[in-house]
Amino acid sequence: TEAEGSGWPWPALLTEVTVQDVTHISLDTMAMLDIQTKLTECSLGFLSMTLNRLMIFSKSMTEEVVGAAHLAASSLVFVDDLLFNLQLDWCDTICVLALTAWPVVTLLGRA
């Protein structure tokens, strides 16, 4: 199902990102529209997209690396703040990134 706010199909995207290359999704201009809504709807999914985008731009040495790095860092800060506000005793941001179904750690390892 699609999210009502951004219309982005997060469950389908999760399935796709775990079984195949998602370069086409990360480079889709629609992926970077309505960022705040996407971060609120699915913070770890959006973080995964921004990290994948950063890895792609870093490898190709494009001028867009700085913008991609800023967006990935901002997304990570958003996730970190969100988790801090939940006041979880048992887990921190690194723990959540490692345990999530979203392949955040895997995407970082592809660099």
Side-chain angles (χ1 to χ4, degrees):
T1 62
E2 292 187 4
E4 291 181 23
S6 69
W8 205 251
W10 294 112
L13 184 61
L14 175 58
T15 301
E16 193 168 343
V17 78
T18 55
V19 297
Q20 66 184 14
D21 181 23
V22 292
T23 301
H24 66 286
I25 296 169
S26 296
L27 296 178
D28 183 350
T29 55
M30 294 299 291
M32 297 302 117
L33 297 178
D34 200 11
I35 291 169
Q36 192 62 41
T37 300
K38 287 184 175 114
L39 267 171
T40 303
E41 287 174 348
C42 188
S43 304
L44 294 170
F46 191 75
L47 176 60
S48 296
M49 282 196 314
T50 61
L51 289 172
N52 194 40
R53 188 176 178 92
L54 175 59
M55 297 306 132
I56 293 165
F57 289 150
S58 295
K59 287 180 180 179
S60 60
M61 305 285 265
T62 69
E63 295 176 2
E64 294 154 331
V65 159
V66 173
H70 184 274
L71 184 56
S74 297
S75 299
L76 185 56
V77 167
F78 183 90
V79 170
D80 191 48
D81 288 346
L82 181 69
L83 293 170
F84 177 79
N85 290 333
L86 291 175
Q87 298 179 348
L88 301 174
D89 295 348
W90 57 273
C91 199
D92 60 8
T93 303
I94 297 297
C95 177
V96 169
L97 296 180
L99 294 174
T100 181
W102 288 96
V104 176
V105 176
T106 303
L107 289 171
L108 287 172
R110 290 182 187 166

